mmCIF file of all heavy atoms in Angstrom:
data_model
loop_
_atom_site.group_PDB
_atom_site.id
_atom_site.type_symbol
_atom_site.label_atom_id
_atom_site.label_comp_id
_atom_site.label_asym_id
_atom_site.label_seq_id
_atom_site.Cartn_x
_atom_site.Cartn_y
_atom_site.Cartn_z
ATOM 1 N N SER A 1 79.953 150.093 104.243
ATOM 2 C CA SER A 1 78.772 150.102 105.105
ATOM 3 C C SER A 1 77.701 149.154 104.577
ATOM 4 O O SER A 1 77.052 148.442 105.343
ATOM 5 C CB SER A 1 78.206 151.515 105.216
ATOM 6 O OG SER A 1 79.100 152.348 105.912
ATOM 7 N N GLU A 2 77.521 149.145 103.282
ATOM 8 C CA GLU A 2 76.532 148.263 102.673
ATOM 9 C C GLU A 2 76.911 146.794 102.872
ATOM 10 O O GLU A 2 76.069 145.973 103.232
ATOM 11 C CB GLU A 2 76.399 148.585 101.188
ATOM 12 C CG GLU A 2 75.232 147.909 100.529
ATOM 13 C CD GLU A 2 74.999 148.409 99.112
ATOM 14 O OE1 GLU A 2 75.169 149.617 98.860
ATOM 15 O OE2 GLU A 2 74.649 147.580 98.274
ATOM 16 N N VAL A 3 78.162 146.464 102.672
ATOM 17 C CA VAL A 3 78.629 145.091 102.856
ATOM 18 C C VAL A 3 78.474 144.666 104.316
ATOM 19 O O VAL A 3 78.048 143.541 104.608
ATOM 20 C CB VAL A 3 80.090 144.931 102.379
ATOM 21 C CG1 VAL A 3 80.675 143.598 102.808
ATOM 22 C CG2 VAL A 3 80.173 145.094 100.869
ATOM 23 N N ARG A 4 78.776 145.563 105.236
ATOM 24 C CA ARG A 4 78.615 145.235 106.661
ATOM 25 C C ARG A 4 77.148 145.016 107.008
ATOM 26 O O ARG A 4 76.816 144.134 107.786
ATOM 27 C CB ARG A 4 79.226 146.324 107.532
ATOM 28 C CG ARG A 4 80.720 146.240 107.553
ATOM 29 C CD ARG A 4 81.338 147.165 108.558
ATOM 30 N NE ARG A 4 82.781 146.982 108.593
ATOM 31 C CZ ARG A 4 83.639 147.898 108.922
ATOM 32 N NH1 ARG A 4 83.216 149.097 109.289
ATOM 33 N NH2 ARG A 4 84.927 147.647 108.922
ATOM 34 N N ALA A 5 76.270 145.812 106.427
ATOM 35 C CA ALA A 5 74.839 145.638 106.671
ATOM 36 C C ALA A 5 74.367 144.272 106.178
ATOM 37 O O ALA A 5 73.620 143.575 106.870
ATOM 38 C CB ALA A 5 74.044 146.756 105.996
ATOM 39 N N VAL A 6 74.814 143.887 105.003
ATOM 40 C CA VAL A 6 74.460 142.566 104.470
ATOM 41 C C VAL A 6 75.024 141.466 105.369
ATOM 42 O O VAL A 6 74.352 140.476 105.657
ATOM 43 C CB VAL A 6 74.950 142.410 103.012
ATOM 44 C CG1 VAL A 6 74.796 140.982 102.529
ATOM 45 C CG2 VAL A 6 74.210 143.370 102.103
ATOM 46 N N SER A 7 76.236 141.645 105.837
ATOM 47 C CA SER A 7 76.857 140.677 106.730
ATOM 48 C C SER A 7 76.023 140.478 107.993
ATOM 49 O O SER A 7 75.750 139.355 108.408
ATOM 50 C CB SER A 7 78.269 141.143 107.092
ATOM 51 O OG SER A 7 78.849 140.319 108.074
ATOM 52 N N TYR A 8 75.604 141.583 108.608
ATOM 53 C CA TYR A 8 74.785 141.478 109.822
ATOM 54 C C TYR A 8 73.428 140.858 109.522
ATOM 55 O O TYR A 8 72.903 140.081 110.318
ATOM 56 C CB TYR A 8 74.626 142.846 110.489
ATOM 57 C CG TYR A 8 75.873 143.272 111.210
ATOM 58 C CD1 TYR A 8 76.570 144.398 110.813
ATOM 59 C CD2 TYR A 8 76.380 142.532 112.283
ATOM 60 C CE1 TYR A 8 77.740 144.791 111.466
ATOM 61 C CE2 TYR A 8 77.546 142.914 112.937
ATOM 62 C CZ TYR A 8 78.217 144.042 112.523
ATOM 63 O OH TYR A 8 79.368 144.422 113.164
ATOM 64 N N ALA A 9 72.852 141.178 108.372
ATOM 65 C CA ALA A 9 71.560 140.604 108.003
ATOM 66 C C ALA A 9 71.663 139.086 107.855
ATOM 67 O O ALA A 9 70.798 138.341 108.322
ATOM 68 C CB ALA A 9 71.052 141.234 106.705
ATOM 69 N N VAL A 10 72.731 138.615 107.230
ATOM 70 C CA VAL A 10 72.931 137.175 107.060
ATOM 71 C C VAL A 10 73.131 136.504 108.415
ATOM 72 O O VAL A 10 72.584 135.432 108.682
ATOM 73 C CB VAL A 10 74.112 136.886 106.109
ATOM 74 C CG1 VAL A 10 74.480 135.413 106.112
ATOM 75 C CG2 VAL A 10 73.791 137.355 104.704
ATOM 76 N N ARG A 11 73.884 137.140 109.292
ATOM 77 C CA ARG A 11 74.095 136.584 110.631
ATOM 78 C C ARG A 11 72.788 136.473 111.392
ATOM 79 O O ARG A 11 72.511 135.458 112.043
ATOM 80 C CB ARG A 11 75.083 137.441 111.416
ATOM 81 C CG ARG A 11 76.490 137.345 110.920
ATOM 82 C CD ARG A 11 77.397 138.248 111.712
ATOM 83 N NE ARG A 11 78.693 138.324 111.069
ATOM 84 C CZ ARG A 11 79.668 139.086 111.485
ATOM 85 N NH1 ARG A 11 79.521 139.853 112.537
ATOM 86 N NH2 ARG A 11 80.822 139.094 110.847
ATOM 87 N N CYS A 12 71.977 137.519 111.333
ATOM 88 C CA CYS A 12 70.689 137.501 112.026
ATOM 89 C C CYS A 12 69.766 136.431 111.445
ATOM 90 O O CYS A 12 69.086 135.712 112.187
ATOM 91 C CB CYS A 12 70.013 138.862 111.939
ATOM 92 S SG CYS A 12 70.839 140.143 112.912
ATOM 93 N N LEU A 13 69.753 136.322 110.133
ATOM 94 C CA LEU A 13 68.922 135.305 109.481
ATOM 95 C C LEU A 13 69.365 133.903 109.890
ATOM 96 O O LEU A 13 68.539 133.066 110.259
ATOM 97 C CB LEU A 13 68.994 135.462 107.963
ATOM 98 C CG LEU A 13 68.240 134.408 107.151
ATOM 99 C CD1 LEU A 13 66.755 134.440 107.479
ATOM 100 C CD2 LEU A 13 68.478 134.633 105.670
ATOM 101 N N ALA A 14 70.656 133.646 109.849
ATOM 102 C CA ALA A 14 71.161 132.324 110.228
ATOM 103 C C ALA A 14 70.846 132.008 111.684
ATOM 104 O O ALA A 14 70.435 130.894 112.016
ATOM 105 C CB ALA A 14 72.669 132.233 109.969
ATOM 106 N N ALA A 15 71.024 132.982 112.562
ATOM 107 C CA ALA A 15 70.732 132.767 113.979
ATOM 108 C C ALA A 15 69.253 132.470 114.188
ATOM 109 O O ALA A 15 68.888 131.558 114.944
ATOM 110 C CB ALA A 15 71.145 133.992 114.796
ATOM 111 N N THR A 16 68.391 133.207 113.511
ATOM 112 C CA THR A 16 66.952 132.987 113.624
ATOM 113 C C THR A 16 66.576 131.600 113.122
ATOM 114 O O THR A 16 65.794 130.883 113.755
ATOM 115 C CB THR A 16 66.181 134.069 112.840
ATOM 116 O OG1 THR A 16 66.529 135.350 113.378
ATOM 117 C CG2 THR A 16 64.688 133.862 112.922
ATOM 118 N N LEU A 17 67.141 131.211 111.995
ATOM 119 C CA LEU A 17 66.848 129.893 111.443
ATOM 120 C C LEU A 17 67.351 128.777 112.356
ATOM 121 O O LEU A 17 66.675 127.760 112.533
ATOM 122 C CB LEU A 17 67.459 129.747 110.046
ATOM 123 C CG LEU A 17 66.809 130.601 108.959
ATOM 124 C CD1 LEU A 17 67.627 130.522 107.676
ATOM 125 C CD2 LEU A 17 65.374 130.173 108.726
ATOM 126 N N LYS A 18 68.506 128.952 112.950
ATOM 127 C CA LYS A 18 69.029 127.933 113.855
ATOM 128 C C LYS A 18 68.150 127.831 115.101
ATOM 129 O O LYS A 18 67.794 126.738 115.531
ATOM 130 C CB LYS A 18 70.471 128.223 114.258
ATOM 131 C CG LYS A 18 71.042 127.136 115.169
ATOM 132 C CD LYS A 18 72.484 127.374 115.544
ATOM 133 C CE LYS A 18 72.978 126.282 116.489
ATOM 134 N NZ LYS A 18 74.353 126.527 116.924
ATOM 135 N N GLU A 19 67.807 128.972 115.675
ATOM 136 C CA GLU A 19 66.974 128.978 116.886
ATOM 137 C C GLU A 19 65.641 128.276 116.655
ATOM 138 O O GLU A 19 65.138 127.576 117.533
ATOM 139 C CB GLU A 19 66.697 130.405 117.355
ATOM 140 C CG GLU A 19 67.814 131.026 118.120
ATOM 141 C CD GLU A 19 67.470 132.434 118.567
ATOM 142 O OE1 GLU A 19 66.662 133.113 117.925
ATOM 143 O OE2 GLU A 19 68.046 132.845 119.579
ATOM 144 N N SER A 20 65.083 128.450 115.479
ATOM 145 C CA SER A 20 63.775 127.863 115.185
ATOM 146 C C SER A 20 63.871 126.417 114.691
ATOM 147 O O SER A 20 62.852 125.788 114.444
ATOM 148 C CB SER A 20 63.041 128.713 114.152
ATOM 149 O OG SER A 20 63.688 128.646 112.898
ATOM 150 N N GLY A 21 65.094 125.916 114.541
ATOM 151 C CA GLY A 21 65.279 124.538 114.094
ATOM 152 C C GLY A 21 65.228 124.356 112.592
ATOM 153 O O GLY A 21 65.145 123.233 112.103
ATOM 154 N N HIS A 22 65.305 125.446 111.842
ATOM 155 C CA HIS A 22 65.221 125.381 110.383
ATOM 156 C C HIS A 22 66.573 125.485 109.680
ATOM 157 O O HIS A 22 66.625 125.586 108.459
ATOM 158 C CB HIS A 22 64.292 126.478 109.866
ATOM 159 C CG HIS A 22 62.875 126.264 110.251
ATOM 160 N ND1 HIS A 22 62.334 126.796 111.395
ATOM 161 C CD2 HIS A 22 61.897 125.542 109.670
ATOM 162 C CE1 HIS A 22 61.076 126.431 111.494
ATOM 163 N NE2 HIS A 22 60.782 125.661 110.453
ATOM 164 N N LEU A 23 67.642 125.470 110.435
ATOM 165 C CA LEU A 23 68.981 125.547 109.842
ATOM 166 C C LEU A 23 69.802 124.364 110.323
ATOM 167 O O LEU A 23 69.895 124.107 111.527
ATOM 168 C CB LEU A 23 69.697 126.848 110.255
ATOM 169 C CG LEU A 23 71.154 126.964 109.797
ATOM 170 C CD1 LEU A 23 71.216 127.244 108.301
ATOM 171 C CD2 LEU A 23 71.867 128.058 110.558
ATOM 172 N N ASP A 24 70.370 123.631 109.393
ATOM 173 C CA ASP A 24 71.302 122.562 109.733
ATOM 174 C C ASP A 24 72.663 123.226 109.962
ATOM 175 O O ASP A 24 73.432 123.431 109.025
ATOM 176 C CB ASP A 24 71.364 121.544 108.601
ATOM 177 C CG ASP A 24 72.246 120.350 108.916
ATOM 178 O OD1 ASP A 24 73.126 120.456 109.806
ATOM 179 O OD2 ASP A 24 72.065 119.307 108.267
ATOM 180 N N ALA A 25 72.918 123.586 111.209
ATOM 181 C CA ALA A 25 74.119 124.354 111.546
ATOM 182 C C ALA A 25 75.402 123.618 111.190
ATOM 183 O O ALA A 25 76.375 124.242 110.782
ATOM 184 C CB ALA A 25 74.105 124.731 113.019
ATOM 185 N N GLU A 26 75.400 122.308 111.340
ATOM 186 C CA GLU A 26 76.613 121.545 111.005
ATOM 187 C C GLU A 26 76.948 121.683 109.525
ATOM 188 O O GLU A 26 78.109 121.886 109.166
ATOM 189 C CB GLU A 26 76.444 120.085 111.386
ATOM 190 C CG GLU A 26 76.484 119.841 112.877
ATOM 191 C CD GLU A 26 76.346 118.371 113.234
ATOM 192 O OE1 GLU A 26 76.709 117.505 112.405
ATOM 193 O OE2 GLU A 26 75.870 118.093 114.345
ATOM 194 N N ARG A 27 75.949 121.586 108.670
ATOM 195 C CA ARG A 27 76.189 121.728 107.231
ATOM 196 C C ARG A 27 76.567 123.162 106.874
ATOM 197 O O ARG A 27 77.423 123.406 106.023
ATOM 198 C CB ARG A 27 74.954 121.303 106.440
ATOM 199 C CG ARG A 27 74.756 119.790 106.475
ATOM 200 C CD ARG A 27 73.549 119.366 105.713
ATOM 201 N NE ARG A 27 73.756 119.586 104.278
ATOM 202 C CZ ARG A 27 72.783 119.498 103.394
ATOM 203 N NH1 ARG A 27 71.559 119.219 103.765
ATOM 204 N NH2 ARG A 27 73.035 119.697 102.121
ATOM 205 N N TYR A 28 75.915 124.118 107.520
ATOM 206 C CA TYR A 28 76.209 125.541 107.301
ATOM 207 C C TYR A 28 77.671 125.831 107.625
ATOM 208 O O TYR A 28 78.397 126.435 106.829
ATOM 209 C CB TYR A 28 75.261 126.351 108.192
ATOM 210 C CG TYR A 28 75.418 127.854 108.153
ATOM 211 C CD1 TYR A 28 74.876 128.607 107.127
ATOM 212 C CD2 TYR A 28 76.056 128.522 109.188
ATOM 213 C CE1 TYR A 28 74.975 129.991 107.115
ATOM 214 C CE2 TYR A 28 76.157 129.910 109.187
ATOM 215 C CZ TYR A 28 75.625 130.631 108.152
ATOM 216 O OH TYR A 28 75.723 131.988 108.155
ATOM 217 N N VAL A 29 78.110 125.361 108.789
ATOM 218 C CA VAL A 29 79.497 125.571 109.210
ATOM 219 C C VAL A 29 80.455 124.812 108.298
ATOM 220 O O VAL A 29 81.495 125.337 107.905
ATOM 221 C CB VAL A 29 79.681 125.181 110.691
ATOM 222 C CG1 VAL A 29 81.141 125.125 111.069
ATOM 223 C CG2 VAL A 29 78.925 126.160 111.590
ATOM 224 N N ALA A 30 80.106 123.596 107.942
ATOM 225 C CA ALA A 30 80.976 122.793 107.074
ATOM 226 C C ALA A 30 81.178 123.466 105.712
ATOM 227 O O ALA A 30 82.293 123.464 105.170
ATOM 228 C CB ALA A 30 80.400 121.396 106.888
ATOM 229 N N ARG A 31 80.117 124.052 105.191
ATOM 230 C CA ARG A 31 80.242 124.741 103.894
ATOM 231 C C ARG A 31 81.136 125.961 103.993
ATOM 232 O O ARG A 31 81.948 126.232 103.113
ATOM 233 C CB ARG A 31 78.866 125.133 103.375
ATOM 234 C CG ARG A 31 78.101 123.947 102.870
ATOM 235 C CD ARG A 31 76.766 124.327 102.342
ATOM 236 N NE ARG A 31 76.074 123.127 101.891
ATOM 237 C CZ ARG A 31 74.960 123.127 101.208
ATOM 238 N NH1 ARG A 31 74.397 124.265 100.886
ATOM 239 N NH2 ARG A 31 74.408 122.001 100.841
ATOM 240 N N MET A 32 80.998 126.704 105.071
ATOM 241 C CA MET A 32 81.867 127.872 105.232
ATOM 242 C C MET A 32 83.308 127.446 105.467
ATOM 243 O O MET A 32 84.227 128.071 104.939
ATOM 244 C CB MET A 32 81.353 128.761 106.353
ATOM 245 C CG MET A 32 80.274 129.662 105.839
ATOM 246 S SD MET A 32 80.060 131.084 106.836
ATOM 247 C CE MET A 32 78.788 130.466 107.881
ATOM 248 N N GLN A 33 83.503 126.397 106.243
ATOM 249 C CA GLN A 33 84.862 125.915 106.487
ATOM 250 C C GLN A 33 85.496 125.451 105.179
ATOM 251 O O GLN A 33 86.679 125.660 104.941
ATOM 252 C CB GLN A 33 84.858 124.782 107.516
ATOM 253 C CG GLN A 33 86.254 124.375 107.943
ATOM 254 C CD GLN A 33 87.029 125.514 108.584
ATOM 255 O OE1 GLN A 33 86.562 126.129 109.530
ATOM 256 N NE2 GLN A 33 88.202 125.803 108.065
ATOM 257 N N SER A 34 84.706 124.866 104.310
ATOM 258 C CA SER A 34 85.199 124.447 102.996
ATOM 259 C C SER A 34 85.673 125.650 102.183
ATOM 260 O O SER A 34 86.697 125.577 101.488
ATOM 261 C CB SER A 34 84.100 123.706 102.244
ATOM 262 O OG SER A 34 84.526 123.387 100.949
ATOM 263 N N GLN A 35 84.945 126.759 102.277
ATOM 264 C CA GLN A 35 85.366 127.974 101.576
ATOM 265 C C GLN A 35 86.699 128.476 102.119
ATOM 266 O O GLN A 35 87.574 128.878 101.359
ATOM 267 C CB GLN A 35 84.305 129.074 101.717
ATOM 268 C CG GLN A 35 82.941 128.695 101.197
ATOM 269 C CD GLN A 35 82.949 128.277 99.747
ATOM 270 O OE1 GLN A 35 83.475 128.980 98.896
ATOM 271 N NE2 GLN A 35 82.368 127.135 99.450
ATOM 272 N N ILE A 36 86.839 128.422 103.430
ATOM 273 C CA ILE A 36 88.094 128.852 104.059
ATOM 274 C C ILE A 36 89.237 127.941 103.630
ATOM 275 O O ILE A 36 90.326 128.406 103.276
ATOM 276 C CB ILE A 36 87.953 128.870 105.594
ATOM 277 C CG1 ILE A 36 86.965 129.970 106.008
ATOM 278 C CG2 ILE A 36 89.301 129.059 106.269
ATOM 279 C CD1 ILE A 36 86.513 129.883 107.451
ATOM 280 N N ASP A 37 88.987 126.646 103.640
ATOM 281 C CA ASP A 37 90.024 125.672 103.290
ATOM 282 C C ASP A 37 90.472 125.788 101.835
ATOM 283 O O ASP A 37 91.592 125.420 101.504
ATOM 284 C CB ASP A 37 89.538 124.252 103.562
ATOM 285 C CG ASP A 37 89.318 123.971 105.038
ATOM 286 O OD1 ASP A 37 89.812 124.755 105.882
ATOM 287 O OD2 ASP A 37 88.634 122.979 105.354
ATOM 288 N N ASN A 38 89.590 126.302 100.974
ATOM 289 C CA ASN A 38 89.894 126.409 99.544
ATOM 290 C C ASN A 38 90.144 127.846 99.099
ATOM 291 O O ASN A 38 90.036 128.153 97.911
ATOM 292 C CB ASN A 38 88.755 125.798 98.733
ATOM 293 C CG ASN A 38 88.672 124.313 98.946
ATOM 294 O OD1 ASN A 38 89.626 123.594 98.692
ATOM 295 N ND2 ASN A 38 87.535 123.847 99.443
ATOM 296 N N ILE A 39 90.505 128.701 100.013
ATOM 297 C CA ILE A 39 90.672 130.128 99.729
ATOM 298 C C ILE A 39 91.671 130.386 98.596
ATOM 299 O O ILE A 39 91.517 131.324 97.826
ATOM 300 C CB ILE A 39 91.077 130.918 101.002
ATOM 301 C CG1 ILE A 39 91.053 132.426 100.742
ATOM 302 C CG2 ILE A 39 92.431 130.492 101.508
ATOM 303 C CD1 ILE A 39 89.703 132.991 100.541
ATOM 304 N N ASP A 40 92.666 129.555 98.463
ATOM 305 C CA ASP A 40 93.685 129.780 97.436
ATOM 306 C C ASP A 40 93.157 129.606 96.022
ATOM 307 O O ASP A 40 93.801 130.025 95.065
ATOM 308 C CB ASP A 40 94.882 128.858 97.666
ATOM 309 C CG ASP A 40 95.650 129.238 98.918
ATOM 310 O OD1 ASP A 40 95.647 130.434 99.282
ATOM 311 O OD2 ASP A 40 96.242 128.343 99.547
ATOM 312 N N THR A 41 91.975 129.017 95.873
ATOM 313 C CA THR A 41 91.403 128.827 94.539
ATOM 314 C C THR A 41 90.535 129.999 94.098
ATOM 315 O O THR A 41 90.085 130.030 92.965
ATOM 316 C CB THR A 41 90.560 127.534 94.476
ATOM 317 O OG1 THR A 41 89.442 127.666 95.363
ATOM 318 C CG2 THR A 41 91.391 126.319 94.862
ATOM 319 N N TYR A 42 90.309 130.987 94.979
ATOM 320 C CA TYR A 42 89.450 132.118 94.655
ATOM 321 C C TYR A 42 90.289 133.297 94.179
ATOM 322 O O TYR A 42 90.874 134.020 94.973
ATOM 323 C CB TYR A 42 88.614 132.535 95.861
ATOM 324 C CG TYR A 42 87.731 131.439 96.388
ATOM 325 C CD1 TYR A 42 87.655 131.183 97.750
ATOM 326 C CD2 TYR A 42 86.985 130.652 95.533
ATOM 327 C CE1 TYR A 42 86.850 130.167 98.233
ATOM 328 C CE2 TYR A 42 86.186 129.637 96.009
ATOM 329 C CZ TYR A 42 86.118 129.402 97.359
ATOM 330 O OH TYR A 42 85.335 128.401 97.834
ATOM 331 N N ASN A 43 90.305 133.495 92.884
ATOM 332 C CA ASN A 43 91.082 134.598 92.312
ATOM 333 C C ASN A 43 90.426 135.948 92.556
ATOM 334 O O ASN A 43 91.095 136.968 92.557
ATOM 335 C CB ASN A 43 91.274 134.377 90.809
ATOM 336 C CG ASN A 43 92.091 133.138 90.534
ATOM 337 O OD1 ASN A 43 92.953 132.781 91.309
ATOM 338 N ND2 ASN A 43 91.803 132.473 89.424
ATOM 339 N N GLY A 44 89.122 135.980 92.762
ATOM 340 C CA GLY A 44 88.407 137.235 92.934
ATOM 341 C C GLY A 44 88.500 137.833 94.325
ATOM 342 O O GLY A 44 88.061 138.949 94.547
#
């Protein structure tokens, strides 16, 4: 429940920042896609 709450908080923050023009969405998405692409390197 705590992890889900943090997840929703981050989503709301990112959406608010994008709506207001304070988030570079392309870079945000690119960074997350990089994490997905490199998933095999994360032992944790």
Side-chain angles (χ1 to χ4, degrees):
S1 293
E2 191 171 322
V3 169
R4 284 189 176 152
V6 171
S7 173
Y8 285 117
V10 170
R11 289 178 190 176
C12 290
L13 176 61
T16 301
L17 291 172
K18 182 178 178 183
E19 280 181 333
S20 68
H22 292 92
L23 174 74
D24 184 339
E26 288 181 26
R27 288 180 69 191
Y28 178 80
V29 169
R31 286 181 181 190
M32 277 202 267
Q33 188 60 54
S34 176
Q35 302 303 309
I36 293 167
D37 294 344
N38 293 302
I39 188 69
D40 291 331
T41 64
Y42 301 134
N43 296 328

